[in-house]
Amino acid sequence: MNVTIEPAAEPGTQVVRKPSRYRSLFVQLLVAIVAGIVVGKVWPGFGADLKPLADGFIKLIKMVIAPIIFCTVVLGIAHVGDMKAVGRIGVKALIYFEVITTFALLFGLVVGNLVKPGAGFHVDARTLASGADKIAQKTKNGELPHTVDFLLNIIPTSVISAFAENALLQVLFFAVLFGLALAKFGEHGPPVILEAVDHIGRIFFTIIGWIMKLAPIGAFGAMAYIVGQYGLSALGSYGKLIACCYLAALLFLVVLAVVVRVFAGVNLWKLVKYIKDELFLALGTASTEVVLPRIMIKLTEAGCSRATTGLVVPTGYSFNLDGATLYLSICVLFLAQALGVDLSLGEQITAVGVLMLTSKGMAGVPGSSFLALSATISAIGHGSIPVAAVALLLGADRLMDSMRVTVNLLGNCVATFVVAKWEGQLDSERMRKVLDGEEVRPLEDAEPIAGFAE
């Protein structure tokens, strides 16, 4: 939402004036994405060479994500000043994440059993001998961390390493401890530290505002690379699988709409319109991390407390991958059906159990979806489905990014509203006004993110 704030007619309110159309980030992203598709289709070689534009933009965003999360979480917790309240927010967020991701896995199995996306492929398992090598190349011979390792890795080796490695969960862990320690001092604590964190946060949000001006260039490069490298021909070869995944995503969004309406009183369609710039940017770059700072600001502007937003959103990037889990459960059935294997109910339940664990360690791991599927196929132990069969998805996986990032991003927004309402930290009146585009009082401690409020 790229807007300019003008002085309001009444004290304490702000009037939003829409910028000229060509300056709208939404329009710029739309034009950039369409141009990227055209370039990738007409000049595929040139389009594939434009990947550095997207990579550079994403690296610029990631450069400042860790300090932004630290400052936001520390300030939010320091303002709450209640260790029990922070603990409740964390526990409620994890409970919500586990329930909704488990439902997404089961929902994907139901859709996969009904649509049968792999029927008609008739793949001979003997032709997949080289599949393991292709998967190893895609995943760079990596592996997903085991559950215990994943939980232990939340604790950083050192504070400096957490920021240097851009490990968001580790940064979040330290930020929570720092914020709680700062809050414990209360009125007797040094206010200079809190003010310093506030000012540092404002500086980084200003930097984000400058970087966001390059968003159309990043989206253009990403889309040109995707179309140039993978082409549109894969749409025909994997049409049924792609249609199944996108159908499941649309139906799942209906479920999210009901959840957020019932438990938080939020209209999902209005929320989509409110964050349309961020959705388009995530779609164009195939990454939700690039919009993390802007989403945190917009959720705070829409009435969620800073503490809730700061805790739920970064945690959700590792624990609440709704779109990814939906895709993985459908792909398990796709592989079985493509090889002519009929998985029993027990084997499908086993697959869900394995995916519940492996999906938690996917964030930031190259080729994580292939690793999670390989682990699941191995756990099922069905001799007719070789692990190398996962290579069948190499041609379609990149085309699923739009579905995954959309559902993941909306899922985390819904989670923030639900947990904020659950904890009594949602300003419902402000939320209604913001989503309706009405005048609202400016937040007293709102970050001056350039491009959002000038």
Side-chain angles (χ1 to χ4, degrees):
M1 180 176 160
N2 190 11
V3 298
T4 302
I5 306 299
E6 290 188 335
E10 297 180 6
T13 62
Q14 57 188 15
V15 178
V16 177
R17 176 175 61 83
K18 294 183 179 180
S20 57
R21 184 167 300 179
Y22 75 92
R23 292 184 60 191
S24 168
L25 180 60
F26 176 79
V27 174
Q28 292 175 359
L29 288 172
L30 183 61
V31 172
I33 290 172
V34 172
I37 293 174
V38 172
V39 169
K41 177 64 177 175
V42 178
W43 303 288
F46 176 66
D49 291 337
L50 294 178
K51 188 173 184 288
L53 294 179
D55 292 344
F57 173 72
I58 292 173
K59 288 184 70 175
L60 284 171
I61 294 289
K62 288 185 175 181
M63 174 181 69
V64 294
I65 283 181
I68 283 177
I69 288 177
F70 174 79
C71 294
T72 302
V73 173
V74 168
L75 291 173
I77 293 176
H79 288 157
V80 171
D82 185 353
M83 188 178 299
K84 292 182 179 179
V86 174
R88 286 197 307 268
I89 293 172
V91 171
K92 289 175 180 178
L94 292 176
I95 292 174
Y96 175 87
F97 294 158
E98 192 58 44
V99 171
I100 202 70
T101 51
T102 302
F103 176 80
L105 287 169
L106 296 174
F107 190 80
L109 286 181
V110 171
V111 174
N113 279 296
L114 293 176
V115 179
K116 299 186 182 303
F121 263 70
H122 305 298
V123 176
D124 186 350
R126 291 172 296 181
T127 64
L128 301 173
S130 62
D133 295 334
K134 294 179 180 178
I135 293 299
Q137 182 180 1
K138 178 70 176 179
T139 59
K140 300 178 180 178
N141 291 311
E143 61 179 15
L144 292 175
H146 298 293
T147 303
V148 175
D149 294 333
F150 171 71
L151 294 176
L152 286 176
N153 284 338
I154 295 177
I155 305 173
T157 304
S158 70
V159 174
I160 296 176
S161 69
F163 285 90
E165 297 170 8
N166 211 32
L168 299 189
L169 280 181
Q170 294 182 0
V171 172
L172 178 64
F173 179 81
F174 173 68
V176 170
L177 294 179
F178 192 91
L180 289 173
L182 195 60
K184 187 174 178 62
F185 282 99
E187 297 179 355
H188 304 289
V192 65
I193 297 180
L194 195 61
E195 292 177 3
V197 173
D198 185 32
H199 287 305
I200 292 173
R202 291 172 181 270
I203 290 171
F204 278 106
F205 274 110
T206 301
I207 295 174
I208 277 288
W210 295 340
I211 296 173
M212 288 307 300
K213 296 182 184 299
L214 303 175
I217 298 176
F220 168 75
M223 193 57 61
Y225 164 72
I226 292 171
V227 177
Q229 180 73 21
Y230 299 96
L232 298 176
S233 59
L235 290 173
S237 303
Y238 294 90
K240 196 171 183 180
L241 173 62
I242 294 170
C244 179
C245 288
Y246 278 85
L247 172 64
L250 288 174
L251 294 175
F252 187 77
L253 290 180
V254 173
V255 174
L256 286 181
V258 174
V259 169
V260 76
R261 167 64 82 175
V262 172
F263 292 101
V266 177
N267 184 307
L268 185 64
W269 176 243
K270 291 181 179 179
L271 176 60
V272 169
K273 292 193 293 183
Y274 177 58
I275 63 170
K276 65 181 184 301
D277 291 353
E278 289 70 32
L279 278 172
F280 257 80
L281 181 56
L283 287 172
T285 58
S287 170
T288 53
E289 283 190 342
V290 298
V291 299
L292 189 151
R294 287 176 61 97
I295 281 295
M296 292 175 70
I297 288 298
K298 283 200 167 181
L299 292 175
T300 305
E301 282 288 324
C304 298
S305 71
R306 292 180 64 174
T308 303
T309 303
L311 288 170
V312 175
V313 175
T315 308
Y317 270 59
S318 291
F319 287 89
N320 194 39
L321 304 173
D322 299 340
T325 52
L326 193 66
Y327 165 73
L328 290 173
S329 58
I330 292 175
C331 284
V332 169
L333 291 179
F334 168 80
L335 294 175
Q337 293 160 3
L339 291 164
V341 176
D342 185 17
L343 292 180
S344 66
L345 178 61
E347 289 170 333
Q348 293 188 31
I349 293 175
T350 299
V352 169
V354 175
L355 288 174
M356 284 174 61
L357 297 175
T358 56
S359 62
K360 300 299 185 294
M362 288 175 59
V365 179
S368 56
S369 59
F370 296 100
L371 293 171
L373 285 171
S374 298
T376 305
I377 296 299
S378 299
I380 292 176
H382 204 300
S384 301
I385 310 178
V387 175
V390 177
L392 290 173
L393 296 166
L394 285 170
D397 184 75
R398 200 65 174 83
L399 300 173
M400 301 296 182
D401 280 336
S402 297
M403 180 276 285
R404 287 189 294 236
V405 299
T406 301
V407 178
N408 286 347
L409 184 57
L410 284 173
N412 282 321
C413 291
V414 168
T416 305
F417 278 110
V418 171
V419 174
K421 181 69 174 181
W422 191 0
E423 183 59 21
Q425 294 195 23
L426 175 65
D427 186 340
S428 298
E429 182 63 20
R430 182 182 183 87
M431 175 269 295
R432 183 191 64 77
K433 288 184 177 181
V434 169
L435 296 186
D436 287 341
E438 298 179 13
E439 298 178 4
V440 293
R441 292 181 177 275
L443 294 174
E444 294 180 1
D445 54 355
E447 295 87 347
I449 178 170
F452 174 79
E454 298 178 358

